[in-house]
């Protein structure tokens, strides 16, 4: 199919193809990857593909791709970047002939799976064979067969630890670069330094917005990287604002959907909300109101289907967004309409055709990090102007559309920021820093970041890794740190897992880690809240939520042959199956690192629980809070933040000292997944961190000081006793001689 020519630029044999040759192969009878005849479905999808703006630019793409090592691609969302460009590259590289493959990164798991599935269909191959995907804890690729791998940016970053030169790839495509996740930003830094060493590696940076110039300038080799611009093909979108600010944006969104359904022409609706619970709730309410509407007025109002979309949705349900709108109930009845209620994922990552109306309340869940008090939280926050523009654009894909913004025009102009700040300025970096140190980045401050993180945030990350003993005082990786980096987990978690054999409980800690790595598995249906709460209480252990996690997992395992167990206990069987899968994968890493898998249950169960709680302290000693008098609130240690136990917490008392897994900020600051601990353990197991000289004055310091004094007194008595008995013994000896 292609000519092998010696490439004058790179001096190695890189297959060069022309668009015409690729066109020929695509239109041909036989699939060049499977050597099987193309299916009917292939031809049907191909027709749609040929209409995509990117597809019509194939010629220009190949011309630029042949000439340059790095390209920046921009184009409207839905123009075909994610699905088409990687295929062009595969046809051009035919990389399997050199044993190398093509990677295309995505910031989100859901978009990664969805793109791989779509492209496997488009190429008429089985998902997981020639086209596959890889996300944390799930690898759907077949080494040796896979030539195109969609993967999360975080996973590619992790691969760099063992393969810093990305030797297995011929081309790396960083997609959705405008999202500016920490992992994509880090990859850009690594790749920029790599291109000089690996002249044969090609890099494509793809982005939806037009701030491409920043990426072009960043990737300057002699001259800025060239821009491949996909011409837009969008229709005008009318923007409507509310006259007054909306007090309740979810309620306003539901009202707007119903208004559109009642009064506007046919066309699907896309609603942006912020998270799973809110979305499920809104879908239910929309459905009820729409059914009412139809019942009252069946001659003018058509059927309405309402489909949720968020990242933890099971794959089959996620695919429902591509289903057509429901047909009219009778052949000449009013047409049906589809409503998709989605998180930010539909802003640029996933394109749904047929959307004509967008409802935008102007919020999304965003990560925020305060390095001063070391708190990272997900907060519902106003979006940026450019996000609002992206969202509106979703309405103009098929024909002219309308966007209903549930805020005032004045707020849009005055209150919204131009762009979102990149994630690197808004998150905790400890995990990324550990990854980069392992990859071999020596100086994180002088690392060539697209936007450098705040020095204080870097400091906090280094400090945490140092307290965990992953980095020594000079910032070098310790043997423990090397082990920790082998786990795709937060540093605290991997530390706790690695230390757990010392407390005879690595089986249990492994279960806890797996359970903390999957989405919330307690289900609490609206109409059965009471029953769900009772079921939860029955499974909960009073000593702590972490111990409850073990209990739930064990019960699940013990009842594997009872298909109703999860349902009866208001637990998501899918989440627990995922936890079992995560556990099995982490187990393999432990075996590889020769970390003992032990459990030693004492005849006295509480002693065993003490050991487990001590192992928790080894990882999470920085996340501890002390009860403040009897007001029911807690103060976090060292940072002195006032917090409360989250309502989901299963403790039946309010212990004086607790360790928590997570700080959440909703209506007020909460700590979630909480277990009682003893302060002595902190002083004993994390002596470096609990050096009271390093504490600022405050109630928590005083409480710890009291504990320390008590311990010293006890120790003093013990010492005195020991000295006395020594004295007695030597006197005895003397008397005997
Ligand atoms: P971009 O990356 O430029 O935003 P994509 O390549 O993701 O665009 O999508 C291009 C088009 O491919 C979409 O508008 C849609 O028509 C189609 N498409 C993508 N994914 C799917 C899917 N899973 N099912 C059906 N159609 C899809
Ligand atoms: Mg895309």
């Amino acid at each position: 199919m292609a000519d092998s020519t010696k490439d004058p630029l790179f001096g190695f044999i890189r297959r060069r193809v022309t668009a015409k040759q690729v066109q020929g192969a695509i239109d041909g009878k036989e699939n060049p990857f499977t050597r099987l005849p193309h299916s009917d479905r292939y031809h049907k999808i191909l027709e749609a593909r040929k209409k995509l703006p990117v597809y019509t630019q194939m010629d220009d793409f190949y011309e630029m791709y042949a000439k340059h090592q790095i390209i920046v691609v921009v184009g409207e969302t839905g123009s075909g970047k994610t699905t088409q460009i990687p295929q062009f590259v595969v046809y051009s590289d035919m990389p399997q002939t050199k044993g190398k493959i093509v990677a295309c990164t995505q910031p989100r798991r859901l978009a990664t799976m969805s793109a791989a599935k779509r492209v496997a269909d488009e190429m008429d191959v089985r998902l997981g064979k020639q086209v596959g995907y890889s996300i944390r804890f799930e690898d759907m690729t077949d080494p040796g067969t896979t030539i195109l791998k969609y993967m999360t940016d975080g996973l590619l970053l992790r691969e760099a630890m063992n393969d810093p030169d990305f030797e297995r790839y011929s081309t790396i495509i960083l997609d959705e670069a405008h999202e500016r996740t920490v992992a994509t930003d880090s990859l850009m830094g690594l790749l920029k330094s790599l291109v000089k060493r690996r002249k044969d590696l090609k890099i494509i940076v793809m982005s939806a917005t037009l701030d491409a110039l920043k990426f072009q300038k960043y990737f300057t080799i002699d001259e800025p990287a060239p821009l491949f611009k996909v011409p837009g093909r969008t229709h005008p979108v009318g923007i409507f604002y509310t006259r007054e600010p909306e007090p309740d944006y979810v309620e306003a969104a539901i009202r707007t959907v119903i208004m559109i359904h009642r009064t506007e022409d046919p066309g699907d609706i896309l609603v942006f909300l912020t998270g799973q619970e809110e979305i499920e709730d809104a879908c239910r309410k929309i459905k009820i109101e729409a059914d009412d509407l139809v019942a009252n007025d069946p001659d003018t109002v058509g059927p309405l289907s309402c489909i949720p979309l968020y990242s933890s949705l099971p794959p089959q349900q996620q695919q429902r967004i591509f289903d057509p709108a429901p047909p009219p109930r009778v052949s000449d009845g009013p047409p049906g309409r589809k409503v998709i209620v989605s998180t930010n994922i539909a802003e640029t990552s996933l394109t749904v055709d047929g959307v004509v109306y967008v409802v935008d309340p102007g919020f999304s869940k965003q990560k925020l990090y305060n390095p001063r008090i070391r708190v990272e939280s997900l907060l519902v926050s106003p979006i940026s102007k450019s996000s609002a523009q992206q969202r509106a654009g979703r309405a103009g894909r098929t024909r002219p559309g309308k966007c209903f913004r549930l805020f005032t025009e004045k707020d849009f102009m005055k209150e919204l920021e131009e762009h979102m700040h990149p994630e690197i300025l808004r998150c905790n970096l400890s995990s990324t820093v550990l990854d980069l140190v392992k990859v071999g980045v020596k100086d994180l401050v002088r690392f060539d970041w697209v936007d450098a993180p705040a020095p204080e945030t870097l400091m906090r990350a280094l400090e945490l890794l140092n307290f965990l003993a992953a980095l020594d005082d000079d910032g070098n990786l310790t043997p423990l740190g090397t082990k920790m980096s082998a786990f795709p987990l937060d540093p605290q978690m991997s530390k706790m897992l690695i230390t757990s054999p010392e407390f005879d409980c690595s089986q249990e800690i492994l279960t806890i880690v797996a359970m903390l790595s999957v989405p919330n598995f307690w289900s609490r249906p609206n109409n059965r809240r009471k029953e769900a709460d009772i079921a939860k209480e029955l499974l909960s252990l009073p000593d702590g939520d972490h111990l409850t996690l073990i209990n739930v997992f064990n019960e699940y395992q013990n009842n594997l042959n009872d298909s109703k167990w999860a349902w009866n206990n208001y637990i998501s069987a899918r989440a627990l199956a995922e936890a079992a899968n995560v556990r099995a994968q982490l187990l393999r890493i432990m075996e590889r690192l020769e970390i003992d898998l032990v459990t030693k249950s004492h005849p006295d169960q509480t002693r065993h629980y003490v050991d487990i709680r001590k192992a928790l302290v080894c990882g999470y000693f920085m996340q501890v809070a002390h009860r403040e008098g009897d007001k029911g609130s807690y103060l976090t240690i060292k940072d002195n933040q006032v917090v409360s136990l989250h309502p989901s917490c299963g403790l039946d008392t309010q212990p004086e000292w607790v360790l928590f897994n997570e700080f959440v900020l909703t209506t007020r600051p909460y700590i979630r997944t909480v277990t009682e601990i003893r302060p002595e353990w902190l002083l004993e197991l994390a002596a470096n961190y609990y050096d009271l000289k390093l504490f600022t004055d405050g109630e928590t310091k005083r409480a710890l000081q009291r504990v320390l004094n008590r311990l010293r007194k006890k120790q003093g008595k013990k010492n005195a006793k020991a000295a006395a008995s020594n004295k007695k013994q030597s006197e005895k000896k003397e008397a005997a001689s």
Side-chain angles (χ1 to χ4, degrees):
M1 177 180 100
D3 301 323
S4 288
T5 48
K6 196 142 177 114
D7 192 306
L9 270 172
F10 304 114
F12 73 105
I13 297 192
R14 189 170 183 112
R15 285 174 174 244
R16 281 267 203 91
V17 293
T18 61
K20 209 165 157 200
Q21 286 169 316
V22 173
Q23 235 17 294
I26 289 177
D27 287 327
K29 285 213 170 63
E30 190 188 87
N31 187 323
F33 305 103
T34 59
R35 302 272 163 225
L36 295 170
H38 280 136
S39 67
D40 288 344
R41 185 168 76 149
Y42 171 84
H43 289 290
K44 211 173 137 217
I45 300 182
L46 183 57
E47 249 172 74
R49 284 175 62 196
K50 287 191 171 175
K51 293 190 194 118
L52 292 172
V54 166
Y55 196 92
T56 57
Q57 297 279 102
M58 195 194 286
D59 254 326
D60 299 343
F61 175 80
Y62 280 128
E63 208 184 306
M64 190 181 278
Y65 183 61
K67 278 199 209 129
H68 298 273
Q69 193 179 3
I70 308 177
I71 310 182
V72 176
V73 175
V74 289
E76 280 289 335
T77 300
S79 58
K81 297 182 299 299
T82 303
T83 51
Q84 306 309 306
I85 300 273
Q87 292 189 67
F88 292 178
V89 171
V90 165
Y91 273 98
S92 162
D93 287 18
M94 283 299 248
Q96 72 280 23
T97 55
K98 299 197 304 266
K100 294 195 194 284
I101 70 172
V102 175
C104 178
T105 65
Q106 298 288 321
R108 300 157 193 270
R109 293 162 57 93
L110 184 58
T112 309
M113 295 190 281
S114 176
K117 183 174 181 314
R118 172 67 178 181
V119 172
D121 287 348
E122 290 190 1
M123 287 172 64
D124 218 5
V125 300
R126 261 187 36 222
L127 180 62
K129 292 294 173 189
Q130 282 83 357
V131 178
Y133 68 82
S134 218
I135 58 183
R136 189 170 79 138
F137 297 127
E138 192 180 341
D139 185 20
M140 263 294 261
T141 63
D142 183 358
T145 309
T146 300
I147 46 180
L148 171 56
K149 175 158 92 170
Y150 284 87
M151 63 201 301
T152 49
D153 49 6
L155 216 68
L156 185 62
L157 184 59
R158 288 195 57 79
E159 278 190 6
M161 288 184 204
N162 299 316
D163 179 14
D165 283 5
F166 293 110
E167 285 294 348
R168 72 185 86 169
Y169 300 105
S170 62
T171 298
I172 292 176
I173 304 171
L174 300 179
D175 197 3
E176 312 285 342
H178 61 270
E179 292 237 358
R180 301 293 309 279
T181 57
V182 172
T184 294
D185 272 20
S186 306
L187 283 167
M188 286 201 263
L190 291 178
L191 289 173
K192 186 173 173 183
S193 73
L194 177 60
V195 287
K196 291 168 221 142
R197 285 203 303 280
R198 268 202 64 194
K199 287 285 179 199
D200 62 316
L201 176 74
K202 294 220 180 203
I203 292 159
I204 301 180
V205 178
M206 306 209 286
S207 148
T209 47
L210 285 171
D211 58 357
L213 193 60
K214 184 160 190 163
F215 298 131
Q216 287 182 270
K217 279 196 184 141
Y218 178 73
F219 283 109
T220 296
I221 308 177
D222 303 328
E223 53 186 301
L227 180 68
F228 182 75
K229 196 168 166 209
V230 183
R233 199 191 49 187
T234 49
H235 302 271
V237 175
I239 309 277
F240 301 87
Y241 294 92
T242 53
R243 234 168 273 169
E244 299 292 328
E246 288 289 349
D248 178 343
Y249 66 84
V250 180
E251 186 271 325
I254 296 168
R255 186 169 14 95
T256 309
V257 167
I258 295 300
M259 182 273 294
I260 294 171
H261 188 46
R262 219 181 43 218
T263 58
E264 295 281 348
D265 291 341
D268 298 336
I269 308 173
L270 174 60
V271 185
F272 287 98
L273 289 180
T274 66
Q276 168 172 356
E277 238 171 83
E278 199 177 82
I279 287 172
E280 290 290 359
D281 195 42
C283 279
R284 209 176 33 250
K285 288 180 179 152
I286 290 172
K287 195 83 195 98
I288 294 172
E289 293 208 20
D291 286 349
D292 261 5
L293 212 59
V294 174
N296 288 335
D297 196 358
D299 296 335
T300 50
V301 183
L304 182 129
S305 64
C306 195
I307 302 165
L309 179 63
Y310 46 82
S311 59
S312 57
L313 209 62
Q316 307 89 311
Q317 280 187 44
Q318 167 212 126
Q319 208 55 27
R320 283 180 58 210
I321 58 166
F322 297 107
D323 291 349
R329 262 181 322 276
V330 287
S331 61
D332 57 348
R337 198 193 296 270
K338 176 168 78 175
V339 182
I340 295 169
V341 187
S342 171
T343 59
N344 228 12
I345 192 164
E347 193 175 297
T348 60
S349 296
L350 284 183
T351 311
V352 198
D353 296 323
V355 172
V356 178
Y357 305 98
V358 163
V359 178
D360 179 12
F363 292 99
S364 70
K365 259 196 195 151
Q366 291 162 30
K367 224 185 250 172
L368 288 174
Y369 180 60
N370 181 341
R372 202 175 41 78
I373 55 169
R374 293 180 296 114
V375 166
E376 184 182 73
S377 42
L378 263 182
L379 263 193
V380 172
S381 322
I383 58 172
S384 66
K385 276 193 187 120
S386 61
S387 283
Q389 267 143 13
Q390 268 296 337
R391 289 178 171 192
R394 309 294 77 234
R397 285 265 309 137
T398 348
R399 58 187 168 84
K402 290 182 181 174
C403 173
F404 297 89
R405 290 187 176 151
L406 306 181
F407 42 92
T408 64
E409 183 163 17
K410 195 168 134 234
D411 279 350
F412 175 79
M413 302 305 285
K414 293 237 168 86
E415 301 295 324
L416 300 194
E417 304 237 16
E418 280 311 311
H419 300 285
M420 274 277 283
H421 293 297
E423 191 187 6
I424 199 151
L425 304 179
R426 296 184 282 114
C427 80
N428 172 353
L429 287 176
S430 50
S431 199
T432 310
V433 165
L434 183 61
D435 288 357
L436 289 175
V437 172
K438 176 71 178 45
V439 173
V441 176
K442 293 272 177 315
D443 187 344
L444 287 151
V445 177
R446 249 164 282 162
F447 184 69
D448 193 352
W449 302 99
V450 183
D451 285 294
E456 199 181 356
T457 305
L458 271 181
M459 278 263 308
R460 285 301 193 183
L462 291 167
E463 180 193 82
L464 170 83
L465 293 168
N466 181 245
F467 279 127
L468 288 172
L471 299 181
D472 64 20
D473 290 346
D474 300 322
N476 299 313
L477 206 61
T478 62
L480 174 68
T482 307
K483 274 190 183 175
M484 282 165 61
S485 69
F487 290 95
L489 299 170
D490 277 346
Q492 292 100 316
M493 263 194 209
S494 42
K495 166 76 185 278
M496 150 173 114
L497 198 51
I498 293 167
T499 330
S500 58
E502 293 171 26
F503 299 90
D504 293 323
C505 61
S506 47
Q507 289 274 17
E508 288 79 6
I509 294 293
L510 180 58
T511 301
I512 292 176
V513 169
M515 291 289 269
L516 289 174
S517 303
V518 301
N520 177 28
F521 50 81
W522 301 107
S523 110
R524 198 161 178 256
N526 248 6
N527 49 352
R528 311 191 62 96
R529 291 208 163 154
K530 229 191 196 148
E531 292 88 336
D533 290 346
I534 293 172
K536 181 173 174 184
E537 214 178 303
L538 288 174
L539 282 167
S540 296
L541 296 182
D543 291 345
D545 297 335
H546 294 84
L547 302 174
T548 297
L549 296 177
I550 305 175
N551 194 40
V552 172
F553 186 79
N554 290 346
E555 286 293 311
Y556 163 77
Q557 291 287 343
N558 293 340
N559 290 286
L560 274 182
N561 46 18
D562 175 1
S563 60
K564 291 236 174 66
W565 181 84
W567 177 262
N568 289 340
N569 286 283
Y570 295 87
I571 278 179
S572 153
R574 198 179 71 90
L576 285 200
E578 202 179 321
N581 169 32
V582 169
R583 193 178 189 281
Q585 296 198 38
L586 292 173
L587 181 66
R588 278 203 287 280
I589 302 177
M590 287 174 76
E591 281 167 357
R592 185 155 53 76
L593 298 180
E594 297 178 343
I595 299 169
D596 288 337
L597 201 67
V598 285
T599 176
K600 194 164 101 195
S601 27
H602 304 265
D604 176 9
Q605 181 74 341
T606 34
R607 286 233 347 245
H608 189 46
Y609 286 163
V610 165
D611 282 344
I612 296 170
R613 284 148 63 201
K614 281 186 172 175
L616 290 174
V617 167
C618 288
Y620 285 94
F621 53 84
M622 292 170 93
Q623 294 181 196
V624 169
H626 179 247
R627 194 184 59 217
E628 256 193 311
D630 48 9
K631 283 176 281 178
S633 59
Y634 283 78
L635 267 188
T636 60
I637 301 291
K638 236 182 203 179
D639 305 314
N640 295 310
Q641 295 296 300
V642 182
V643 293
S644 310
L645 300 182
H646 193 266
S648 69
C649 175
L651 293 174
D652 54 6
T653 57
Q654 292 207 324
E656 186 178 355
W657 297 88
V658 293
L659 171 150
F660 58 93
N661 183 65
E662 217 184 338
F663 184 104
V664 270
L665 205 57
T666 49
T667 43
R668 55 191 172 126
Y670 286 111
I671 49 179
R672 187 158 59 193
T673 315
V674 176
T675 285
E676 176 178 10
I677 54 156
R678 302 293 320 144
E680 304 83 276
W681 304 342
L682 300 171
L683 299 166
E684 172 197 344
L685 300 171
N688 276 350
Y689 187 74
Y690 283 93
D691 178 354
L692 294 188
K693 287 196 289 297
L694 304 176
F695 279 58
T696 45
D697 282 334
E699 183 43 46
T700 57
K701 179 175 179 175
R702 281 193 290 278
L704 280 164
Q705 192 65 58
R706 286 194 294 272
V707 175
L708 196 61
N709 294 343
R710 206 167 61 224
L711 282 178
R712 287 206 178 118
K713 222 169 169 180
K714 226 172 160 183
Q715 194 60 41
K717 270 188 195 159
K718 244 194 210 161
N719 290 350
K721 222 173 164 184
S725 100
N726 275 348
K727 202 173 156 202
K728 233 184 210 164
Q729 290 227 330
S730 48
E731 278 171 5
K732 252 189 205 164
K733 257 188 210 161
E734 246 169 57
S737 64

